Amino acid sequence: MAHTSARTDLDALRDRPRADVLIVGAGINGIATFRDLALQGVDVAIVDRGDFVSGASAASSHMIHGGIRYLENGEFRLVRESVQERNALLKTAPHYVKPLQTTIPIYSTFSGILSAPLRFLTHRSGKPQERGAVLIKLGLTAYDSFSRDGGSVPRHRFVGRKKALAELPRLDPSLKYTATYFDASMHDPERLALDVLADGLAAGANARAANYVSAVGASSAGVRLRDADSGEEFDFSASVVINASGPWTDLTNDAMGTASRFMGGTKGSHVVLDNPELLAATGGREIFFEHSDGRIVLIYPLKGRVLVGTTDLEHDMTQPIRCTESEVDYFFELVKHVFPSIAVDRSQIVFRFAGVRPLPRHEDEAPGFVSRDYRLERGELAGGTPLVSIVGGKWTTFRALAEHLANDVLGLLGRTRTTSTDGLAIGGGAGYPATESARRVWTTSHGDEIGRERADALLERYGTRASSVIEYLVEGDDEPLEGAPTYTRREIEWLASTERVVHLLDVVLRRTSLAFVGALDRSLLEELADIVGGALDWSAEHRRDEVAEAIRFLGEQHGLTFTADEAARAL
């Protein structure tokens, strides 16, 4: 097994400070473009001021979807591309992307018919008005025509109140119909992105990646990079620079001396609830609907919890991005709207998160109607280096966006595409067992020393990359974590040693789901810090600092509460 230090990656950039392409920003779009270019043999490097996939891409609704409501915006190209990419990801990343049955509760028959054409033509929301059954039926019929993938995705279906309540008895009994269709869930967005990154790095020495490295300026010598930990700066030259920093694109361009006003992102927040009653009420389906204020919202069962979101609010990118108490009140109101007999309160929130969508500047256009499509903006850095900025984009279309951008960059470099990513398996999706019998064969063959049940859990967590995890687990003594027995000590060691971990937060927020499901307390953070610190040679003081910083950050950004005693003992 190859142990890879994140700081070794930084040394690789410093020792050879040049590449054909430098990508600034390692969210999903930057990472996907990195993978695509690396597979073409391009000398490409990617950096991010934080951890990989720790910005806007880490604040998604955990869905891969065609975007039925984009039809109302007239974005037919985007819907077609989105459903094609959704259907492809079900096949290329089946370990993380799975079919999701989605139900829309409907309270009227004809509502919204007169206002819909106005929204379509003007993209102004006007006075919010709920979509009725006729309008939703028209939308889903059109959606089916885009999304069925030769019949592999079932058609939508409508049922009346009686049958709807028989299927989901805790729904609001005043509804008139429900409509049900299929999209896809993305159980582990960060892990999917890390698989995409690993595929790019596996292409060879032509691909280099470093986290916690920011672009802070530019000159004729190249882009000025800064190591976030040491503060050391160095110049890095490239034939083409890609700005993939999402909602921070304008700020990154400003830092590199090329002012732009491309972005106008909106904040979306979510809460994760530990409410078994609400979880059971969803019947395993996402509940997707329009609230009275015109926002599209969702209630979504995930990892034994319920994800509730999202908002769509204007945001100043120089200000903190956090889920506010008023947003929490809004979420509770919408749960009550759909499931009036189920009580929710703040004690059930185990995690909250917020991010800013990388949307284009939209002036007076209503946030909900701002295009979710993407475009590429050309510019130049000092010295004439071509700069390409990504404006827009979403999780579902990351492969298609990367292909489009890579083609443009290959043109700038005078090169041609040699490898297609269309239909190419991602990470642990390669060879993933597609049937229950195939899965039994895989878990039996890999479960000799760790047991079939454990092998199955690791297959679910890492796809077929689990074979590498299992090889490491059986090389030494292993035992479950005291604070999270579904993980083991050697598994955490493997993550720290092979997945470019720099801080404790990288493990709890992105390499695992421990924060998301509400599994963290101080003792578990200390246990993890000892394991990660052992793998990365942290001193005792460094381990204490990492725990203290994790407690501070998780409290401020994600609403996790640690007792005063826990917080004090972490200092």
Side-chain angles (χ1 to χ4, degrees):
M1 181 196 66
H3 289 249
T4 306
S5 164
R7 298 306 85 184
T8 301
D9 295 325
L10 177 61
D11 290 340
L13 296 182
R14 232 176 346 224
D15 294 344
R16 184 167 66 87
R18 62 189 178 279
D20 291 335
V21 179
L22 172 65
I23 302 172
V24 179
I28 186 55
N29 290 322
I31 287 173
T33 305
F34 170 79
R35 171 193 186 230
D36 196 314
L37 289 170
L39 291 172
Q40 315 313 317
V42 172
D43 185 4
V44 58
I46 187 170
V47 297
D48 196 285
R49 67 175 185 170
D51 190 19
F52 303 112
V53 70
S54 63
S57 297
S60 78
S61 294
H62 290 62
M63 291 174 61
I64 296 291
H65 65 101
I68 181 174
R69 72 186 183 92
Y70 306 154
L71 292 172
E72 189 173 73
N73 293 9
E75 297 188 277
F76 301 113
R77 189 213 68 80
L78 177 61
V79 174
R80 181 180 291 107
E81 180 179 79
S82 295
V83 296
Q84 289 171 348
E85 293 299 311
R86 179 203 68 189
N87 292 343
L89 282 166
L90 287 165
K91 299 170 184 174
T92 61
H95 53 323
Y96 295 136
V97 180
K98 302 179 186 296
L100 177 64
Q101 191 175 17
T102 302
T103 292
I104 307 172
I106 305 168
Y107 293 86
S108 70
T109 303
F110 299 106
S111 178
I113 289 178
L114 295 179
S115 58
L118 184 63
R119 287 194 298 266
F120 181 88
L121 292 170
T122 67
H123 290 190
R124 306 290 192 274
S125 58
K127 183 180 179 181
Q129 191 169 11
E130 183 181 36
R131 279 79 167 167
V134 171
L135 199 59
I136 291 172
K137 178 70 175 177
L138 289 170
L140 285 172
T141 300
Y143 196 59
D144 278 347
S145 71
F146 283 113
S147 69
R148 295 201 64 231
D149 191 28
S152 63
V153 179
R155 290 187 185 278
H156 78 273
R157 62 185 181 90
F158 261 75
V159 299
R161 177 193 291 118
K162 184 176 180 180
K163 191 165 185 179
L165 293 176
E167 292 178 0
L168 298 170
R170 302 300 295 274
L171 285 175
D172 181 0
S174 67
L175 60 77
K176 289 190 173 181
Y177 318 90
T178 60
T180 298
Y181 67 102
F182 276 83
D183 259 326
S185 65
M186 178 171 54
H187 290 194
D188 292 279
E190 293 85 357
R191 292 224 53 86
L192 175 56
L194 290 168
D195 265 14
V196 176
L197 178 70
D199 285 352
L201 290 165
N206 61 298
R208 292 171 290 163
N211 49 358
Y212 295 100
V213 176
S214 54
V216 295
S219 67
S220 57
V223 176
R224 191 74 174 164
L225 300 180
R226 177 186 294 156
D227 175 4
D229 284 348
S230 70
E232 179 189 352
E233 296 184 1
F234 61 99
D235 287 325
F236 192 96
S237 63
S239 300
V240 179
V241 175
I242 296 173
N243 182 350
S245 52
W248 294 273
T249 293
D250 290 333
L251 298 180
T252 301
N253 281 339
D254 287 349
M256 295 191 297
T258 307
S260 65
R261 295 183 74 250
F262 300 140
M263 308 307 296
T266 61
K267 186 180 78 165
S269 296
H270 301 76
V271 294
V272 181
L273 301 175
D274 183 4
N275 184 322
E277 189 179 11
L278 182 60
L279 179 65
T282 66
R285 308 182 193 185
E286 176 195 34
I287 310 301
F288 181 81
F289 60 99
E290 184 178 28
H291 200 32
S292 57
D293 62 0
R295 291 177 187 161
I296 302 295
V297 291
L298 55 93
I299 300 172
Y300 173 13
L302 190 67
K303 298 180 180 294
R305 305 291 185 261
V306 181
L307 179 66
V308 183
T310 177
T311 49
D312 204 356
L313 305 172
E314 301 288 354
H315 187 77
D316 177 352
M317 289 307 299
T318 64
Q319 300 303 308
I321 307 168
R322 293 172 186 164
C323 176
T324 64
E325 292 305 317
S326 62
E327 287 175 298
V328 173
D329 291 338
Y330 172 78
F331 293 141
F332 287 171
E333 179 185 322
L334 68 88
V335 172
K336 185 176 181 181
H337 176 69
V338 180
F339 294 107
S341 64
I342 298 177
V344 293
D345 61 61
R346 279 171 167 75
S347 70
Q348 297 163 358
I349 300 175
V350 298
F351 193 67
R352 62 175 82 183
F353 61 96
V356 174
R357 303 169 182 89
L359 304 180
R361 185 172 296 277
H362 50 270
E363 304 306 336
D364 62 342
E365 189 168 35
F369 290 91
V370 180
S371 175
R372 266 54 174 176
D373 211 342
Y374 56 86
R375 72 176 194 266
L376 307 176
E377 293 282 356
R378 293 277 191 94
E380 282 188 359
L381 297 177
T385 301
L387 170 67
V388 183
S389 300
I390 304 173
V391 180
K394 62 196 190 88
W395 258 100
T396 303
T397 56
F398 71 80
R399 190 214 63 84
L401 182 154
E403 181 180 65
H404 183 181
L405 177 51
N407 286 340
D408 280 11
V409 171
L410 289 169
L412 289 170
L413 296 173
R415 301 177 59 159
T416 57
R417 175 172 293 276
T418 58
T419 301
S420 174
T421 58
D422 189 9
L424 185 65
I426 295 172
Y432 190 80
T435 64
E436 281 304 313
S437 60
R439 190 181 185 98
R440 283 194 297 272
V441 169
W442 196 97
T443 55
T444 299
S445 64
H446 289 81
D448 287 345
E449 295 186 66
I450 64 170
R452 273 189 57 186
E453 185 177 347
R454 175 76 170 138
D456 189 71
L458 292 172
L459 177 64
E460 186 70 12
R461 191 171 288 163
Y462 304 107
T464 53
R465 286 187 69 209
S467 59
S468 298
V469 183
I470 292 169
E471 286 177 13
Y472 183 72
L473 298 185
V474 301
E475 287 174 357
D477 294 334
D478 197 14
E479 60 184 8
L481 299 185
E482 289 184 14
T486 59
Y487 286 88
T488 67
R489 293 184 65 86
R490 286 187 67 81
E491 183 181 352
I492 299 300
E493 285 178 8
W494 183 85
L495 292 171
S497 300
T498 65
E499 292 198 339
R500 294 166 166 78
V501 167
V502 176
H503 295 294
L504 180 60
L505 282 165
D506 302 339
V507 173
V508 300
L509 286 171
R510 288 171 288 278
R511 306 314 187 276
T512 72
S513 300
L514 292 169
F516 185 89
V517 300
L520 295 176
D521 59 17
R522 179 196 54 80
S523 62
L524 177 55
L525 287 172
E526 289 183 344
E527 184 179 11
L528 291 166
D530 283 341
I531 299 167
V532 175
L536 302 182
D537 297 323
W538 290 349
S539 67
E541 181 181 11
H542 189 165
R543 297 177 198 198
R544 286 194 297 272
D545 289 345
E546 288 286 335
V547 172
E549 172 59 14
I551 286 176
R552 183 201 67 78
F553 185 90
L554 293 166
E556 289 184 4
Q557 295 296 129
H558 298 291
L560 272 65
T561 56
F562 296 86
T563 65
D565 178 58
E566 285 180 327
R569 289 172 62 185
L571 297 176

